[in-house]
Amino acid sequence: MAFFSRNQHDVGYFWPLVLAVLVHAVVVMFSVTNFDSEDAAPESASIVHATLVSTETYTDQAQQVNDNQAASSMPSQPPEETPPPQEAPAPPSRSLEEAVIEQAAELAAQQETQALEQARAEAEAQAQRRAEETEQQALEAAAREAERAEQRAQEQRRREEEQARQAQEAEEQRRREEEQARQAQEAEAQRRREEEQARQAQEAEEQRRREEEQARQAQEAEAQRRREEEQARQAQEAAEAAMQRQLEGQREAAANARQAQQAANSFSAIVRRAVEQAWLIPGGASDTMSATIQVRLGPSGEVLATTVAASSGDSAFDRSAIQAVEHAAPFTELRELSAEQQRNLRQFDLRFTPGDVR
């Protein structure tokens, strides 16, 4: 529409100016030709008058063409063709200038009509092109929208496929986890069964060992019982034998004791007699004085040591008792006794009183 309006503006002002310039040129040419026969003032007036008429006429005609074109551009009414300008009846006496002007006006009207027709055709072509362009643009926009819709649909499908794939992967992951959990449960159950079997086997082994231990203990108990019976029998036999030996020993011991006692009594008597013979009683000793001397002999009857076990209160008396023992030694009769009798008789006490030695 802007292009059509611009064409109307160009037709309304450009061609009338061009035609006016042409008319002026033709008038000037005829004026120069008829210069001698016509007056200068009327020529100027004619030229001015022709110019004014031409400009006015063609401006009005152009405005009419523009109005017709504006009316033809309305969509509800078909464009009406601008009627060609009617030639006014020439007056009976017209000049050359008027004839030229009329011819120029007719030529301008024809050119104006052709220009209007051409402008209308161009406007229609432009409108057609614009309609086609609009349709093409609409088609392209529809194609782009369809492409975008297809892309959105593809993107939606991809998202749905991705979601489906993720859901499938999640489902597979869940199944794998369930399978792993099931396998773990089965493994745990298998482990518990194996542990239970191992425990039962261990209990069975322990039971077997206990039974074997019980059997062994029973055997040992039986063997112990037999040993105890055998020991009891042997002990009884040993006790009987020991009793027999004891009786015999007692009898022998009694005999030995009698012999030892006899030998001891005999040795003691020999020692007392020898000491009494060797004892020199001090002159001032009284009959109430008493001293006990402890004597320790060697294996051959020699005196190893003499000590005062109980003093008489008189050192001279005590010393005389010790000297008597030393002078009476050695007591060789000790070697004639048995070893046990010797052990019993190698240490003894002698009690010295002025009247007796015991």
Side-chain angles (χ1 to χ4, degrees):
M1 294 300 292
F3 178 79
F4 184 72
S5 299
R6 186 169 59 252
N7 289 337
Q8 287 180 344
H9 179 73
D10 293 341
V11 171
Y13 295 100
F14 179 73
W15 290 109
L17 293 175
V18 172
L19 292 175
V21 172
L22 291 176
V23 168
H24 280 287
V26 172
V27 170
V28 171
M29 181 181 64
F30 281 102
S31 297
V32 172
T33 306
N34 299 323
F35 180 76
D36 294 334
S37 59
E38 296 180 359
D39 190 41
E43 286 180 1
S44 298
S46 300
I47 292 172
V48 174
H49 179 70
T51 303
L52 293 176
V53 172
S54 301
T55 305
E56 242 176 46
T57 304
Y58 290 110
T59 303
D60 295 338
Q61 292 177 356
Q63 185 65 36
Q64 185 179 0
V65 171
N66 291 334
D67 295 336
N68 294 332
Q69 288 180 353
S72 64
S73 62
M74 298 294 290
S76 60
Q77 296 178 359
E80 297 180 357
E81 294 183 359
T82 304
Q86 300 292 330
E87 294 181 0
S93 59
R94 59 179 181 179
S95 63
L96 179 60
E97 292 179 0
E98 291 176 354
V100 172
I101 291 173
E102 289 178 1
Q103 291 178 359
E106 291 177 0
L107 179 60
Q110 292 176 0
Q111 291 178 353
E112 181 70 20
T113 302
Q114 292 176 358
L116 291 175
E117 293 295 334
Q118 184 179 1
R120 187 182 296 111
E122 291 178 357
E124 292 177 355
Q126 182 69 20
Q128 182 66 26
R129 285 194 303 272
R130 289 185 179 275
E132 292 176 356
E133 290 176 358
T134 304
E135 184 179 0
Q136 182 65 26
Q137 291 175 359
L139 292 175
E140 292 176 356
R144 287 193 298 271
E145 182 63 26
E147 184 178 358
R148 287 193 294 270
E150 180 65 20
Q151 290 177 355
R152 289 193 297 270
Q154 291 178 359
E155 184 65 24
Q156 181 66 23
R157 285 196 299 273
R158 284 195 295 269
R159 286 196 296 269
E160 292 175 355
E161 290 175 356
E162 181 65 21
Q163 291 175 358
R165 185 184 63 79
Q166 292 177 357
Q168 184 177 1
E169 290 179 355
E171 180 66 18
E172 292 177 356
Q173 179 66 23
R174 184 186 62 78
R175 291 178 181 175
R176 285 194 297 270
E177 291 175 355
E178 289 179 353
E179 181 65 19
Q180 291 175 357
R182 186 185 62 78
Q183 292 177 357
Q185 290 178 355
E186 291 180 355
E188 179 67 16
Q190 181 65 22
R191 184 184 64 79
R192 291 178 180 176
R193 286 194 297 271
E194 292 175 355
E195 289 179 353
E196 181 65 19
Q197 292 174 357
R199 185 184 62 79
Q200 292 177 356
Q202 184 177 1
E203 290 179 355
E205 180 66 17
E206 291 177 355
Q207 181 65 25
R208 184 185 63 80
R209 290 178 182 176
R210 285 195 296 270
E211 292 175 355
E212 290 179 353
E213 182 66 18
Q214 290 174 359
R216 184 184 63 78
Q217 290 176 358
Q219 291 177 356
E220 290 180 355
E222 181 65 18
Q224 181 67 22
R225 184 184 63 78
R226 292 178 181 177
R227 283 194 299 272
E228 289 175 354
E229 290 178 354
E230 181 65 20
Q231 290 174 359
R233 185 184 62 78
Q234 292 177 359
Q236 185 176 1
E237 292 177 356
E240 292 176 356
M243 187 176 292
Q244 185 66 29
R245 286 192 301 272
Q246 185 177 3
L247 292 174
E248 292 176 358
Q250 287 176 355
R251 288 193 295 269
E252 185 177 356
N256 292 333
R258 286 193 298 271
Q259 292 178 359
Q261 187 63 35
Q262 291 175 359
N265 293 334
S266 177
F267 180 73
S268 297
I270 292 172
V271 170
R272 283 197 301 272
R273 283 195 300 269
V275 170
E276 286 178 352
Q277 292 176 0
W279 185 27
L280 297 175
I281 302 173
S286 62
D287 294 338
T288 58
M289 297 178 68
S290 176
T292 302
I293 306 299
Q294 187 180 54
V295 181
R296 186 161 63 85
L297 301 178
S300 299
E302 70 274 15
V303 176
L304 297 179
T306 56
T307 57
V308 178
S311 177
S312 63
D314 187 353
S315 59
F317 188 85
D318 295 342
R319 188 166 52 255
S320 65
I322 291 172
Q323 291 175 354
V325 174
E326 292 176 350
H327 290 161
F331 305 105
T332 57
E333 294 80 5
L334 184 63
R335 292 180 293 182
E336 297 176 1
L337 300 176
S338 65
E340 184 176 359
Q341 290 175 347
Q342 289 181 8
R343 286 192 299 273
N344 294 329
L345 295 175
R346 285 178 63 181
Q347 184 172 340
F348 52 88
D349 293 337
L350 290 176
R351 184 172 177 273
F352 289 85
T353 61
D356 190 7
V357 176
R358 298 180 182 221

